Amino acid sequence: MCMSGKDSLLSNAWYQQVISDFDMTLSRFAHNGKRCPTTHNILDNDLLINDTCKKMIRELLNTYYPIEIDATRTVEEKLPHMVEWWTSVHELLIQQKIRRDLLAQAVKQSSAMLREGYKVFFDRLQEQQVPLLIFSAGLGDILEEVIRQNHVFHPNVHVISNYMDFDQSGVLRAFKGQLIHTFNKREGALLHAAHFRELKERPNVLLLGDSLGDLTMADGVAHTQHALTIGFLNDQVEERKESYVNSYDIVLVKDETMDVPNAILNYIT
Ligand code: TMP
Ligand code: MG
């Protein structure tokens, strides 16, 4: 682990903010050798979608996830595929007329888990009044339910994500705002300028992600003084190690815990 002298510069909670991805960063990639679901995959539940739709969403995952993590393709090459993936899945979800009142139950029944040590992480930031922005290309409504059910949706948490738009009877009819996928978080950040403006007195950023696209989440911070970036490398480790080490300050390989972020927070806040 190398912090390249940034540790002392980051010290002082008053000037800090934390920006984190959600799926496979705050949530676990695997548990006991089994993959944990992303927020999209939590919807793979009989309560919400039928078998044909489940099959189609799984096929889309099998087609597009390998592209998302392909170390041989550039971000530019991946972009149109990501738009296709997200758009197709969201259209399928709308066709299923998903009911808002069943989302909490689907989250309860899922095997989604936050990384070990998550409570220390969220509680510490809340105690120190450090804002935590969760910036996710997943589903905001589901993400909020996961952190609520884990009792860490504290007042210092702000979420930027894809939110569902329900009609008056509580049935999904569209998605709100600009689509966020893995590789357009920079544009997403710039669209949420008001959030970053509010935090303009906090120029020191701790950033957590699991994709190289997550590194652009802090692009909305106008005057970053110091940024420390932590990347969780969950999958395709050998193929992607070099690019992660070249891009993130700290790279955690197949680490399902928040131990390193917690140790850093313990030191700097
Ligand atoms: P994140 O920005 O919170 O990590 O969320 C994006 C992740 O969601 C990304 O790694 C791909 C994943 N995903 C699925 O697992 N299933 C889907 O249907 C879609 C559209 C995305
Ligand atoms: Mg992620």
Side-chain angles (χ1 to χ4, degrees), residues 21-25 38-41 57 61 65 68 85-86 89-90 135-138 143 181-182 185 210 214:
D21 169 57
F22 186 74
D23 289 305
M24 311 295 119
T25 295
T38 59
T39 48
H40 279 95
N41 296 342
I57 289 182
L61 179 73
Y65 175 66
E68 183 192 350
W85 183 15
W86 260 257
V89 169
H90 287 189
F135 197 153
S136 170
L143 174 174
H181 59 72
T182 330
K185 290 192 173 180
D210 78 299
D214 293 330

Side-chain angles (χ1 to χ4, degrees), residues 22-242:
F22 186 74
D23 289 305
M24 311 295 119
T25 295
L26 291 176
S27 70
R28 290 184 71 128
F29 181 76
H31 182 54
N32 292 336
K34 225 179 142 256
R35 281 291 303 267
C36 293
T38 59
T39 48
H40 279 95
N41 296 342
I42 287 174
L43 300 184
D44 189 333
N45 182 313
D46 290 333
L47 281 175
L48 304 172
I49 61 177
N50 64 29
D51 286 348
T52 318
C53 178
K54 277 187 192 178
K55 193 165 164 273
M56 288 167 84
I57 289 182
R58 283 177 204 168
E59 277 167 13
L60 289 166
L61 179 73
N62 293 336
T63 306
Y64 291 107
Y65 175 66
I67 300 176
E68 183 192 350
I69 62 165
D70 187 347
T72 68
R73 299 193 208 211
T74 65
V75 168
E76 285 68 32
E77 284 170 318
K78 294 179 185 190
L79 273 172
H81 298 286
M82 296 302 104
V83 175
E84 261 169 37
W85 183 15
W86 260 257
T87 311
S88 310
V89 169
H90 287 189
E91 277 169 11
L92 284 168
L93 295 176
I94 292 164
Q95 284 165 16
Q96 292 297 299
K97 302 195 177 343
I98 287 179
R99 277 173 46 192
R100 179 169 42 197
D101 61 341
L102 295 175
L103 296 183
Q105 213 178 324
V107 169
K108 251 187 220 112
Q109 292 177 0
S110 78
S111 54
M113 288 174 83
L114 296 174
R115 279 184 199 274
E116 199 183 312
Y118 75 88
K119 200 161 168 21
V120 172
F121 177 81
F122 279 88
D123 289 355
R124 172 94 189 181
L125 292 176
Q126 164 63 10
E127 280 158 20
Q128 300 296 319
Q129 295 180 33
V130 174
L132 167 61
L133 169 64
I134 302 180
F135 197 153
S136 170
L139 300 170
D141 309 76
I142 302 292
L143 174 174
E144 286 193 6
E145 196 53 42
V146 174
I147 58 176
R148 193 175 295 120
Q149 290 185 16
N150 282 286
H151 311 290
V152 288
F153 197 176
H154 299 319
N156 65 322
V157 174
H158 183 86
V159 181
I160 298 177
S161 188
N162 297 306
Y163 277 93
M164 295 172 165
D165 191 3
F166 296 96
D167 67 15
Q168 280 180 343
S169 56
V171 171
L172 178 64
R173 63 164 182 191
F175 281 83
K176 294 179 186 168
Q178 185 85 26
L179 175 78
I180 304 171
H181 59 72
T182 330
F183 296 110
N184 73 349
K185 290 192 173 180
R186 179 183 155 74
E187 289 78 357
L190 299 179
L191 278 174
H192 287 83
H195 167 80
F196 291 103
R197 243 191 330 269
E198 263 180 44
L199 301 183
K200 67 178 189 308
E201 308 298 339
R202 294 176 176 271
N204 296 342
V205 180
L206 177 66
L207 181 146
L208 276 62
D210 78 299
S211 156
L212 293 180
D214 293 330
L215 284 159
T216 65
M217 293 187 300
D219 286 6
V221 182
H223 304 290
T224 310
Q225 260 177 26
H226 305 291
L228 182 65
T229 59
I230 304 178
F232 287 91
L233 180 50
N234 301 308
D235 203 5
Q236 297 266 314
V237 170
E238 282 316 312
E239 295 84 340
R240 298 198 292 168
K241 206 188 245 166
E242 194 185 339

